[in-house]
Structure formats: structure tokens, C-alpha cells
Amino acid sequence: MKKATYNDIAASLALITSLLLTLNAKAEQEGWLSHGYDYREQRFSPLTGINDKNVAELGLEWSFDTDFNRGLEATPIVVNGVMYVTGNWSFVYALNARTGELLWKYDPQVPRAWGAMGCCDVVNRGVAVEDGKVVFGTFDARLIALDATTGELLWETRTADIEQWPYTITGAPRIAKGKVFIGNGGAEYGVRGFIGAYDLATGEALWRFYTVPGNPANGFESEALEQAAATWSGKWWEFGGGGTVWDSIVYDEELDQLYIGTGNGTPWNRNQRSPGGGDNLYISSIVALNPDTGDYIWHYQETPADNWDFTSTQQIMLADMPWQGKLRKVIWHAPKNGFFFVLDRESGTPLSIEPYAYTNWATHYDKKTWRPVETAEGNYQANPGAYITPSSLAAHNWYPMAYNPGTGLVYIPVTRTPSVYDELQTDFVWGRWNVGVEIEKNPITGMPGLNQKVLTKLYSGHLLAWNPITQSEAWRLEHASGGNGGVLSTAGNLVFQGTSSAELIAATADTGTPLWRYDTEVGVMAAPISYAIDGEQYIAVAAGWGGAFGLIVRLDEKNVIPQSRILVFKLGAKNSLPVSDNSLELVEIPPQTDATSEQLDEGLRLYTNHCLVCHGAGVSSAKSIPDLRNLPMVFYENFDKVVREGMMESAGMPNFGKVLSKNDVQDIYAYVIYEAHALRKEQEPSIFDPIINVIEDVVSTIIVWWITD
Ligand code: CA
């Protein structure tokens, strides 16, 4: 054996020193480098500075007010002490992660009228950062790269033809192998879903994978789409077909595969979408692709012939899991439909599928075919008017879940969302919801006067700690209502979650015991993250209420526009939130009309189908979008012009001229004015208030008990 020379030893020592330096640097400057922490998207921080022994000392270090007050869904990215986070209208902010100082911001100038082309608020779920570039998608379907240091525009690529189809981007791009991957949304309106890959250096489009086939007369882009076309019938391409890749895109380093989750079909109603039946591939599926070429590798369809807007776009988490004596490379997935899927990610074959929430659309999945066994109740075309759970509002939606390798548990934000589905024959209207389902009898609207109380009880929610191996519940933490935020887990035996009732909570990861609560002043949807600078650990979260669930449901009737903010915490900090006075006074409104009860019913029906998703149940809005019960007089006087002539289109209010008649708008107006007067009556104190409260409580409890299992 050759004797080691002085030079060899010196070289080894230098190597060890540099390794130690690297490790030390990693410990002192621990960032949050990509959307789900790393490629596995487990959202687990190895930091232990904040832990179950000291979390009670956590306090606000800094906050940053964003430019708007609508829903925040972004996961901040922290690289080299800089936080990159997105707000409403696809704004990007670069902040000093230690102090909150604004370093730069970028306004991509999204046309406000395009706000009407998204189902679920003008949100954005974040940026991707690599190679000195900050990459993000815009609401009008552009992909943009900025210089991470200066915020200057490097390149901009239009990803979809929005002249032809109402595409939007709300998801965070992912970067791997020098490529940026991004999909889009729009399946409620009617688009053809796809994911694209773009060159990180130039923005040049490299490949595109359509998730559903186009018109067969034009030929197919690939063999995979030719095979998919055999599972469709009718003229689905006229509605676009759907299957949009609006959230989860995950790169698997070990197998060199890209996984995408696809959305619902257009319309939701399968009888209208594909009248001759068929599974309608590749909607509501996980599809594995070759990241270099976009070629199809495998798929598994979680909801064949999706009839309910269940989608499979929710977070795809990668893990290694012991299964029947072998370590298997798996995907963990908890999509909207209420079942937890464990898939072998080499083949796409399920290992186990069990319900993580109450479901009545299917009893279970057959263990030979891995197909759901649907119930008669779930088939609303044959049995109109049944309560279906979960519904389009999801047992678990895009809100990120987290995993803790110390406990072996996955933490899922779960909501109970029963809704009535009725078939509605619709002609395709460009730029409008084209879902083929009547949501008129939805419980959230069928009970005027009790709306919010019934709503918050009916849509209850909890944080679920789930064992993915045994497919069983370890513990649950009940919240005030549903629609609660995404989750972070840390090596300090903690889970962090924001709630719809405006709290950020830390609980123990092993038992779910709450240890710390912070009043965020606004409901939280986004997932917290953690990072460290110079050895000090921070917890950060984007707090802003809105999104699909939040625009309809809320927990209070406060007449305040809540401020959407970034909040950052560390041990021992004692700062407080700036006082923002966005309270709204009740203004004078027009007198109640002499509308008939038929007219009010029709107004309620039309409101539910056209206005509710933005202006809220019971005409009670989240206030970031105008509450129609409390408008300046000019808007009541010009109600028809606003609704049917696009008077407020530049502010994001759609022009309904093509879908609503003058008579329709008169009925909606009558219903809105009715609710406006009801609000004022409610706010007049009365000696009967305590009794009325008790009666409302009892009645809403009975209704909830009757509707749910
Ligand atoms: Ca959808």
C-alpha cells in the first residue's frame, strides 16, 4: 500500500474542512428552496431551534402588507436570506427574510377583466427559484423569469392561446433539469388541459403534453392521446374536455419521471361531456411523463369518468415506504374525492386505497381492478337532489399537506363538504361556468337567514394525522370550521397550520396537542414554511382569505376588509401587527322592492348560479370582493349596467350580458335588496337576540345532523 504523503493528508484535511463548512453553512442558512421544500414535496423542515419545548415563546418578528386584500395561497421561497413570494394579480415580492424589508416587487400587469376567467379568486401559489432566476406564472397564462437580485424581466412566454380559450395560471412552476414546468386552469369554463416544459435559460417552449384528446378529425398528438380518445364519446372537444394541470407537478429524481395531477372534465356532468360513457382519460388522474420529452409513461385514474369535479391536482408527495416486506417507492395522494391513495411510482399501480374522510359517492375501491364502487346516491343524474359528500369543495383541496419522518404521519387539512347536485342542461357559453350541474339546492344557499351558522357547522374541518402504511387515523385536531390552511411539519416535533378562523396554530406532531396560537386577524389558507438565518429559526406564512372555499364561506359577519399579509415569527419576538382600519360602515340603501316570493326565489336561484362563487353565500361576501348588501348608491342605480353591460369589467366584474336577461337581473336585484335589508334588521339589537341565537343554534344543529351521516 502506498504511504500517504503530506500533500495527500493536506488535501484530505482541506476536503474535510470544506465539507464541514458546507454543513455549517447549511445549518446557518437553511432556506426553503422549492415549493414543497424539496423534490419529494414532504414539507418537512429538519430545523429544531423552535420545538415542542419552547414554541410558546414564538412571537411576531415582522409582517409585510401586500398590495391587495384577496386570498393568499403562496408558499414563500427563501434563498440566501431573501424571501420570494407572490400576491394577488400575480405580483411578486422579494423581501429581506430577516427584516421584511421590500427589496423589489414586480407587477406583471394582468388585465383586471381577466379576473372573471378564474373560478377561484385571483390567487397565485408561488414562484420557483433557480440559477439566479425567479420564475412564476401569471393569471393570464404567461410564464415570466425575473433576475433574482434586481427583479428585472429576463424573459416572458405566453403559454396558452387565451384569445381562443379562457386559460389561467394560479399554480407554482417547478424546475428540474434546466426546464420549467407549468400547467394552467380553466376546466370550469371549458379549456383543453395541458402541461408545458420551457427552457429555464430562454423561456423557449420545449414540449407540451395534452391531458385530453382533441377533435379526432385533426389527428392525435401522440399514441397516448389516441388511446385516450377511445374512452370518450360525443363532441367533447367543443368544451375543451378539461383535465387541467393547475397545481401539482413533481419531479422524481430517483426514477427521472415527472408526475402531474389532472383536473376535472368539462363539463363536470359526465352525461353531457361524454354521452356514450367511457372513463374520459386522462382527467382526474396522476400521469407520469418523461421530463425530457413529455412522453407518456403511465397513468392511474383516481376518479374514472369524474362526475363531481373531484380532480387529482392536489399535492403529489413522494416517499419510500415498507410494504409487504419490501421498501417501495410510492406516491401519497389525498385528492378531493376523500380517498387516500398509495401508488407504486415505478408502475403507477395502487398498493392501497382507503377513505381518509366520510364519502358517500363510492363505498370503496375494488382491490382487483382498483376502481371505485360507486353508490346510487352519487349518481345525481338518476337521483337528483341527493347530498353528495365530499363535493366540488373537496375533502382536501390544494392546501398543502405535510409529512414527518419522526412520527411517520401525513398531516392533511380535511373539510366536510356535502352538496346537492342536480343535472342542468347547458349550452356552451364562452367565458362562463360550463359545468352542467345546478347548484341551486346547495345547502349553503337553501336556507336564507341561517346561512353562515349552518354553513360553518356543515362545513366542519380538522387537521388529520394519517398513518399512510396502516391507512388509519392517528389523531385529529378539530377546528372552528372547514377550509383551513396548508401544513408544515418540523423536526422539533411540531406541526403548524393556519385556520379559517384567523389563527396560526402549532401542535405536537406525535399527539396533536396544541401548544401555541396566534391571532392572524384574517383567515389563513397557505401553508407555513420554516428557514434559518445565522442559526435563528423562523416560521413564515402568507395570511389572506379568499379562494374557492373562502369566497363562499367565512366565520364571521365583521364588516371589515382584512389585510392580506406575510407574517414571520421567531422565538422571543414581541412585535405586533400594524393597526389597519379597513372597517366598513353600513351605508344607506334603496328601499325594499315589492317583489313576490316567486321573484325572490328566482333571484336566489340565479344569484347562486352566477354570483355566489365570488360574492358569497347569502350575499355575504368576504369583503375583499364587494358585499352587494352594502354598495355605494351609484351601483344600485346602475345594477343592470354593471351586470349586463360590463360597467365594472376593469375591476374584474364579468359582463353577464350574454347569459342574463333584463328580467333575470331584476330578480337578482330584488333578492340582493331583500338580503341587504335583512342584514340591517339583524344588526338592530333586540331583547329577543339571546333566544333567537339559541333557536338558530338548535335548528342549524338539527339541519347539519340531518344532512350528514
Ligand atoms: Ca374544478
Side-chain angles (χ1 to χ4, degrees), residues 119 187-188 246 264 268 309 311 336:
C119 65
E188 268 60 58
W246 57 263
N264 55 280
W268 297 352
D309 181 30
T311 85
K336 282 167 91 174

Side-chain angles (χ1 to χ4, degrees), residues 41 60 77 104 186 319 349 411 424 445 466 501 517 564 568 670 703:
E41 305 244 346
L60 185 75
I77 301 295
W104 54 258
T349 310
Y411 305 94
L424 177 74
T445 57
W466 187 253
S501 52
R517 290 173 188 266
S564 297
V568 175
I703 291 169

Side-chain angles (χ1 to χ4, degrees), residues 19 43 157 180 268 379 404 437 477 502 506 511 517 559 608 634:
L19 274 174
R43 291 181 177 264
T157 300
V180 185
W268 297 352
N379 182 357
N404 189 313
V437 174
L477 180 60
T511 62
R517 290 173 188 266
N559 217 15
T608 304
V634 60

Side-chain angles (χ1 to χ4, degrees), residues 268 419-420 424 433 435 437-448 451 459 552 600-619 628 656 660 664 667-668 671-672 675:
W268 297 352
S419 290
V420 169
L424 177 74
W433 275 47
V435 299
V437 174
E438 170 79 90
I439 53 172
E440 172 198 357
K441 288 180 194 151
N442 195 304
I444 57 185
T445 57
M447 300 146 200
N451 286 346
Y459 289 95
I552 301 172
L600 288 177
D601 283 352
E602 183 61 7
L604 166 63
R605 192 187 73 80
L606 291 164
Y607 176 88
T608 304
N609 282 299
H610 299 286
C611 322
L612 172 135
V613 291
C614 292
H615 291 286
V619 202
L628 301 183
F656 286 88
L660 294 171
D664 291 341
D667 292 346
I668 293 172
Y671 170 62
V672 164
E675 290 287 5

Side-chain angles (χ1 to χ4, degrees), residues 467-514:
N467 183 324
I469 300 174
T470 59
Q471 289 265 39
S472 61
E473 177 173 335
W475 53 257
R476 70 170 65 186
L477 180 60
E478 289 290 349
H479 293 317
S481 188
N484 301 294
V487 189
L488 162 74
S489 189
T490 75
N493 187 30
L494 292 172
V495 281
F496 288 87
Q497 186 191 22
T499 69
S500 53
S501 52
E503 283 183 310
L504 183 63
I505 299 177
T508 56
D510 51 359
T511 62
T513 309

